[in-house]
Amino acid sequence: MEQGTKDNPWNLKTPPLTSEYQMYKDTKDGKDIIVCTVGKTVLHYDYRSLNDLHQMLKKHGDWMELGSADEQKPAKDGTVEAWGRAENNPVGGWYGLKKGLRGRFGMYIPPLMETLGLAEVTHDAKGNKMRAI
């Protein structure tokens, strides 16, 4: 059975390995999205973020801090989180698609990329980083 579907989601852990969550690919309003379920909270991210982030990390060529932050908090400059909401990224802004829950890109997308073999992610208590494979 194909993994990453609603019936067979990816079972993931946050970079510090402290929380479990699930993700799967779906389509909403004709757009491919990633549905991320954390407890009772459901977030949506643009599916193209996987390829876009992989390309950016390849160009970056080194480890990049994740810098996860909620939508309402500013993201630290030079982090994956900051790039995931920057006006100069390929989508011109947020990869998170649900208003009020668009942040945490740097928390939930990197472990999926690691599972898919696109990136390496560190698993320390704080300050985790990732790089493209």
Side-chain angles (χ1 to χ4, degrees):
M1 180 186 272
E2 182 186 354
Q3 195 167 20
T5 62
K6 189 171 188 170
D7 294 330
N8 188 24
W10 291 291
N11 292 300
L12 304 163
K13 286 189 173 185
T14 55
L17 306 176
T18 51
S19 300
E20 295 182 3
Y21 63 101
Q22 294 185 324
M23 288 183 139
Y24 63 91
K25 183 179 177 184
D26 203 354
T27 305
K28 183 175 183 194
D29 303 326
K31 180 182 213 163
D32 287 338
I33 65 168
I34 299 166
V35 178
C36 175
T37 307
V38 186
K40 290 189 167 94
T41 304
V42 178
L43 305 110
H44 294 161
Y45 295 101
D46 191 330
Y47 190 78
R48 72 172 282 183
S49 66
L50 299 173
N51 184 56
D52 291 352
L53 179 55
H54 188 242
Q55 294 304 316
M56 183 277 290
L57 288 168
K58 280 172 108 169
K59 281 186 191 139
H60 181 69
D62 199 359
W63 291 96
M64 181 179 270
E65 192 176 338
L66 301 182
S68 178
D70 288 330
E71 178 178 347
Q72 295 76 16
K73 295 184 179 150
K76 183 177 168 188
D77 286 342
T79 63
V80 170
E81 183 75 32
W83 178 85
R85 50 174 83 179
E87 290 180 9
N88 64 351
N89 71 26
V91 296
W94 297 87
Y95 281 98
L97 301 173
K98 275 180 114 175
K99 189 100 174 108
L101 297 171
R102 297 183 300 181
R104 297 269 168 203
F105 181 79
M107 177 70 74
Y108 299 122
I109 296 296
L112 177 57
M113 291 188 62
E114 184 176 46
T115 296
L116 296 174
L118 298 171
E120 290 179 83
V121 179
T122 61
H123 298 286
D124 301 317
K126 286 185 173 180
N128 284 299
K129 299 177 174 115
M130 72 184 300
R131 67 178 175 192
I133 292 179

